[in-house]
Amino acid sequence: MDLYSLTLHEAKEMLERGDITAVQLTQSVLARMDAVEGVVKAYITRNDEGALTAAKQADDLRRAGKAGILCGLPISLKDVLCTADMKTTCGSKMLENFQPPYDATVVEKLKNKGAVITGKVTMDEFAMGSSNETCAFNVPTNPWNSKYVAGGSSGGSAASVAAGECLASLGSDTGGSIRQPASFCGTVGIKPTYGRVSRYGLVAYASSLDQVGPLTKDVTDCALMLEAIAGFDSHDSTSLKQKVPTYSESLIDGLQGIRIGIPKEYFGLGIRDDVNKVVMDSLDKLKDAGAELVEISLPHTDYSLAAYYLIAMAEASSNLARFDGVRYGFRAEDCDSLDKLYSKSRSLGFGQEVKKRILLGTYALSSGYYDAYYKKASQVRSLVRNDFNEAFAKCDLICSAVSPVPAFEFGDMSKDPLAIYLSDILTIPANLTGMPSISVPGGLSTDGLPVGIQLQAPHLKEDLLFKAGWNLEKRVEMVGNFPKPEAQ
Amino acid sequence: MSEITKNEIEYVARLARLDLQPQEVETMTNHIGLMLNYVAKLQELDTTDIPITTHSQEANNVFREDVVLSSLERENALKNAPQQNGDSFVVPRII
């Protein structure tokens, strides 16, 4: 049996029983990388040596009876998370050689629980994109079909999980960046409640929207990973103090008494027919599991995306002001003044998409335009939040597609500069409102690509997402049936 | 309000400390113009008296006792600097 194809919980059980060692498991994953990385291109930095050392340590700890809950399990990290022992590039020339002096809290938590870090995986530059095509380095392909994108911005996370180049991954989600690539690559991915997971050591894109979360092969793995990384952190003033539940306890059969809301506005959003069919089939499956389906209304759906982009870009323009060529990151040569040093370093260090978002954000915050753009968007954010509060009075969960379309071909979205932004319409409300949201594979499109189902819940109701997601997963045939990129 | 000119893009680029090539000014003016056209739909909504939301949770100041904790050592803080002298970050002459 190929150990790399195990789920996290299967491998964990086999390690616990002593059927396999962490070194064997890690060697299998590294060999898998050798076999498929030429096609998949998920990794920016591989950590072969470090992973083998960590695996040996994990085996020692287990023998000593000191195994943590992730002991010996190979996990990849989106290159937006700071690692003290590996470069953190954020997919940008600006941070091409950046070696963080500390580990992000989530990385520290994984390591403390015995995880084996396989390396840093690719992403859109500074997490700005929906196809991973804005990365300054390697762009991953979709393991299901290499002509198609893996999604973004956590494209490397989703591709590395689906291709068996790790058993699980951590990504980040500002407007769908975990859920959309999870959907495109047929993995599970959750954006936790804002504040559930520490952002310390996560390179900031839009601070009021960013969350770290896992991408995994199934819902059980996702629950295990979130349990490992969630919790209060004094280094992140927005992190929540509420106790972390044992999410695995919510994975029980039957959805009796759970009302699943279907927003009527979502049917006018140009969802592709085959995607819609998967959504309908999934709703039937959730109903079979005992859930009650109810129609709900989210009247400001049509405005939420405009508000989201203004807020995200305004925050980005402010966050990215720190890249000035002085303390870390790229510095342009031959600058005779400080001002020139700033502007030349930023102009040469940032790619086009990042510059575009900084410009729009700066414009929206600039004198004379602040009220019309940033303030207006922040008011509409209140309206969107009210929509969801009212909807959750009528239902426990909200179900939809993750993306109106399945994975698209490379370059497809470059013809119309707005198209790629518009495809985020279903995922951005969870970031504006802070509510948790999961993507679970629901079926395949007509071209044989995965289609993810999105479930959204009120703040801190991740347990409900896992429960419903697990019930759906049990009733969907494609889950666990991962692709073979090496055959392409 | 959705029209944006090349001059405005150049002005905003200046604020954001970005030097744009002429071709970039052209592309950015087009793309940002399209985006401003799209976001203009927000003006359809009457938001008089609607409070702003800047944060999805109740965001409050977080206080702690004023005690000395360990922080990044100087050497570590400087190690990523493109130019430093072991003591400080080095930048072009300012005065």
Side-chain angles (χ1 to χ4, degrees):
Chain A
M1 185 189 48
D2 294 316
L3 299 183
Y4 67 79
S5 64
L6 295 170
T7 63
L8 206 62
H9 63 94
E10 286 166 348
K12 182 173 154 66
E13 282 162 24
M14 290 175 78
L15 285 163
E16 283 165 358
R17 284 200 304 264
D19 296 348
I20 57 170
T21 65
V23 169
Q24 288 168 339
L25 179 61
T26 302
Q27 279 168 339
S28 170
V29 168
L30 295 177
R32 178 67 175 169
M33 284 189 210
D34 291 338
V36 301
E37 194 50 14
V39 177
V40 181
K41 300 192 274 281
Y43 281 84
I44 289 179
T45 306
R46 284 178 59 161
N47 185 37
D48 293 39
E49 213 175 302
L52 282 171
T53 308
K56 284 190 194 100
Q57 283 166 357
D59 284 331
D60 289 345
L61 282 171
R62 190 174 294 283
R63 271 190 292 273
K66 292 177 185 163
I69 62 163
L70 297 175
C71 187
L73 297 169
I75 292 168
S76 72
L77 303 171
K78 185 177 182 180
D79 213 13
V80 71
L81 295 166
C82 286
T83 43
D85 52 356
M86 272 178 278
K87 284 191 301 180
T88 299
T89 71
C90 253
S92 179
K93 185 181 170 191
M94 182 60 88
L95 290 177
E96 191 169 5
N97 298 306
F98 177 57
Q99 173 60 66
Y102 61 91
D103 278 332
T105 297
V106 290
V107 175
E108 195 179 273
K109 283 186 175 230
L110 291 184
K111 286 182 177 174
N112 286 343
K113 291 174 171 77
V116 169
I117 307 300
T118 53
K120 306 295 289 290
V121 286
T122 183
M123 55 184 282
D124 279 297
E125 184 178 6
F126 284 102
M128 297 177 184
S130 306
S131 64
N132 218 133
E133 290 171 290
T134 72
C135 182
F137 314 113
N138 46 311
V139 179
T141 61
N142 192 309
W144 292 72
N145 185 332
S146 58
K147 288 198 194 82
Y148 293 80
V149 301
S153 67
S154 310
S157 290
S160 63
V161 171
E165 297 187 88
C166 60
L167 267 57
S169 186
L170 287 187
S172 65
D173 190 312
T174 304
S177 280
I178 288 173
R179 291 161 285 157
Q180 184 255 30
S183 168
F184 282 14
C185 293
T187 78
V188 174
I190 190 169
K191 183 204 82 77
T193 304
Y194 185 82
R196 180 76 288 189
V197 178
S198 168
R199 292 182 293 113
Y200 181 68
L202 165 72
V203 180
Y205 164 12
S207 303
S208 82
L209 308 166
D210 298 339
Q211 260 300 278
V212 179
L215 292 95
T216 58
K217 291 180 180 177
D218 67 11
V219 175
T220 307
D221 286 2
C222 199
L224 178 68
M225 284 287 284
L226 184 60
E227 221 174 286
I229 61 167
F232 176 71
D233 177 15
S234 59
H235 285 114
D236 174 0
S237 64
T238 61
S239 88
L240 298 170
K241 291 199 164 133
Q242 278 89 341
K243 189 173 171 290
V244 180
T246 309
Y247 293 119
S248 53
E249 286 172 0
S250 53
L251 309 178
I252 43 174
D253 202 22
L255 295 175
Q256 284 74 19
I258 293 180
R259 297 161 302 168
I260 295 182
I262 306 162
K264 62 179 183 191
E265 289 80 5
Y266 283 12
F267 292 95
L269 297 176
I271 315 276
R272 219 171 78 176
D273 286 348
D274 52 349
V275 172
N276 214 19
K277 183 175 182 309
V278 175
V279 175
M280 291 306 166
D281 289 350
S282 300
L283 286 169
D284 283 344
K285 289 175 174 131
L286 291 165
K287 204 173 160 192
D288 287 345
E292 183 195 342
L293 307 182
V294 292
E295 188 186 90
I296 54 159
S297 174
L298 300 168
H300 296 93
T301 296
D302 204 26
Y303 301 95
S304 57
L305 194 67
Y308 166 79
Y309 269 102
L310 284 169
I311 291 166
M313 294 185 194
E315 291 188 24
S317 72
S318 170
N319 271 326
L320 273 63
R322 75 190 64 187
F323 299 102
D324 57 5
V326 175
R327 292 154 301 156
Y328 42 72
F330 176 79
R331 171 184 280 201
E333 289 176 359
D334 303 325
C335 300
D336 51 11
S337 73
L338 190 58
D339 206 44
K340 193 73 203 161
L341 174 78
Y342 293 154
S343 57
K344 202 171 167 193
S345 299
R346 289 165 63 77
S347 303
L348 296 173
F350 290 137
Q352 292 302 305
E353 184 63 29
V354 173
K355 287 184 199 176
K356 194 198 294 180
R357 295 191 193 203
I358 290 174
L359 287 171
L360 186 73
T362 306
Y363 182 72
L365 289 174
S366 64
S367 172
Y369 296 101
Y370 179 91
D371 281 358
Y373 291 112
Y374 181 72
K375 186 181 170 201
K376 186 84 180 179
S378 301
Q379 288 174 311
V380 174
R381 188 176 185 180
S382 303
L383 297 173
V384 173
R385 193 170 68 165
N386 293 347
D387 280 0
F388 279 86
N389 285 345
E390 282 169 26
F392 282 128
K394 300 189 185 86
C395 64
D396 305 295
L397 294 170
I398 295 172
C399 182
S400 68
V402 172
S403 164
V405 291
F408 41 88
E409 291 192 50
F410 287 97
D412 251 17
M413 289 281 184
S414 57
K415 293 157 209 154
D416 172 0
L418 273 183
I420 199 154
Y421 297 138
L422 300 180
S423 69
D424 291 339
I425 181 77
L426 298 167
T427 46
I428 52 95
N431 303 83
L432 285 176
T433 62
M435 64 191 168
S437 172
I438 196 170
S439 172
V440 177
L444 296 175
S445 69
T446 46
D447 28 20
L449 295 164
V451 173
I453 298 299
Q454 174 172 255
L455 293 161
Q456 306 185 89
H459 286 192
L460 293 171
K461 294 286 186 192
E462 281 86 355
D463 56 335
L464 258 186
L465 296 180
F466 289 133
K467 184 176 181 178
W470 188 78
N471 272 274
L472 174 61
E473 179 182 85
K474 270 170 62 92
R475 290 163 176 86
V476 172
E477 281 171 17
M478 64 171 280
V479 178
N481 191 9
F482 280 104
K484 299 208 179 306
E486 68 276 27
Q488 288 170 30
Chain B
M1 61 174 284
S2 54
E3 288 299 309
I4 190 160
T5 63
K6 283 194 213 173
N7 279 345
E8 283 173 300
I9 287 290
E10 280 167 344
Y11 169 70
V12 174
R14 184 76 209 112
L15 292 177
R17 296 297 182 271
L18 289 170
D19 295 335
L20 299 183
Q21 300 300 314
Q23 183 53 47
E24 283 182 303
V25 175
E26 192 86 30
T27 315
M28 294 295 176
T29 307
N30 279 334
H31 285 197
I32 290 174
L34 282 170
M35 292 173 75
L36 290 175
N37 263 324
Y38 176 74
V39 302
K41 70 160 73 181
L42 293 182
Q43 305 308 325
E44 296 165 11
L45 289 172
D46 178 7
T47 51
T48 322
D49 299 331
I50 303 288
I52 62 165
T53 296
T54 53
H55 222 267
S56 65
Q57 305 279 0
E58 290 298 315
N60 298 310
N61 266 336
V62 178
F63 296 102
R64 64 168 172 79
E65 291 304 310
D66 187 15
V67 287
V68 179
L69 300 172
S70 63
S71 61
L72 211 54
E73 285 156 16
R74 184 188 301 241
E75 192 188 331
N76 252 342
L78 288 170
K79 77 172 181 183
N80 276 289
Q83 205 185 340
Q84 48 115 342
N85 61 14
D87 225 22
S88 333
F89 299 109
V90 175
V91 296
R93 178 178 288 276
I94 296 169
I95 29 175

